[in-house]
């Protein structure tokens, strides 16, 4: 906000919600779970799995980023403006369902190690994308039922698992 006001440069911030997919971050749940499943190692399930996340497939995130690039924030009273948009799937998914889809996609059951809730973690995330839809035309299309098997196929091919 300050930079936009001080220097007159329109600014757009993007907040991503639990992104997964090919070439994703290896510290995220999809990657960690699939790796553990294929290696036959235990995976940590925090809070007995009683968690929800707004999982978002990478292709949907890319579409949102491109839409934001094409639409600068409008000027407010003759000054450069700023906007902040949530890019997410607009629905919270139960972690046990997420894991079940991964197990089915991998063709193997996970070895689960229960762990307490991590300090600073939250039980649920949810992306309110009303402004992203309105201003950017952002409309995520990939459910975890479609995206997770795609990720597993990529992981299997990339790691020859």
């Amino acid at each position: 906000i300050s930079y936009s006001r001080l220097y007159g440069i329109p600014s757009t911030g993007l907040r991503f919600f639990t992104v997964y997919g090919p070439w994703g971050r290896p510290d995220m749940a999809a990657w960690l779970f699939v790796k553990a499943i294929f290696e036959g190692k235990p995976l940590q399930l925090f809070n007995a799995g009683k968690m929800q996340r707004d999982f978002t497939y990478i292709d949907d995130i890319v579409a949102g980023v491109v839409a934001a690039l094409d639409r600068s924030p409008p000027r407010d009273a003759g000054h450069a403006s700023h906007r902040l948009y949530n890019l997410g799937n607009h629905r919270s998914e139960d972690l046990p369902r997420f894991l079940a889809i991964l197990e089915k996609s991998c063709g193997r059951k996970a070895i689960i190690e229960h762990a307490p809730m991590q300090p600073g973690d939250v039980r649920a995330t949810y992306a309110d994308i009303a402004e992203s839809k309105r201003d950017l035309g952002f409309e995520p299309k990939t459910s975890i039922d479609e995206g997770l098997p795609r990720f597993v196929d990529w992981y299997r091919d990339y790691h020859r698992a």
Side-chain angles (χ1 to χ4, degrees), residues 20-23 30 34 38 57 101-102 104-107 145-161:
Y20 72 96
W23 301 102
V34 170
F38 279 129
Y57 193 67
I101 295 168
L102 286 176
K104 182 178 179 186
S105 299
C106 291
D145 297 290
E146 299 170 60
L148 288 175
R150 285 188 210 163
F151 172 68
V152 170
D153 288 345
W154 172 84
Y155 186 97
R156 184 180 277 127
D157 184 56
Y158 184 77
H159 291 282
R160 302 188 200 319

Side-chain angles (χ1 to χ4, degrees), residues 28-125:
M28 298 295 283
W31 190 293
L32 292 170
F33 288 7
V34 170
K35 183 178 191 300
I37 291 169
F38 279 129
E39 292 178 359
K41 295 182 178 175
L43 62 85
Q44 285 193 316
L45 199 58
F46 296 101
N47 197 41
K50 295 177 188 165
M51 300 175 79
Q52 296 179 319
R53 292 290 179 268
D54 192 329
F55 295 104
T56 314
Y57 193 67
I58 187 63
D59 292 2
D60 292 326
I61 292 294
V62 169
V65 170
V66 170
L69 286 171
D70 291 341
R71 294 171 185 86
S72 290
R75 291 190 159 278
D76 287 334
H79 297 91
S81 186
H82 60 276
R83 293 288 184 271
L84 177 63
Y85 296 108
N86 291 333
L87 298 182
N89 215 14
H90 193 56
R91 64 181 154 266
S92 292
E93 302 282 359
D94 292 324
L95 195 56
R97 181 171 179 277
F98 177 86
L99 180 56
I101 295 168
L102 286 176
E103 289 175 323
K104 182 178 179 186
S105 299
C106 291
R108 303 176 189 184
K109 283 291 201 188
I111 302 166
I112 298 172
E113 182 179 282
H114 290 282
M117 188 79 158
Q118 296 183 94
D121 205 352
V122 296
R123 283 185 169 68
T125 61

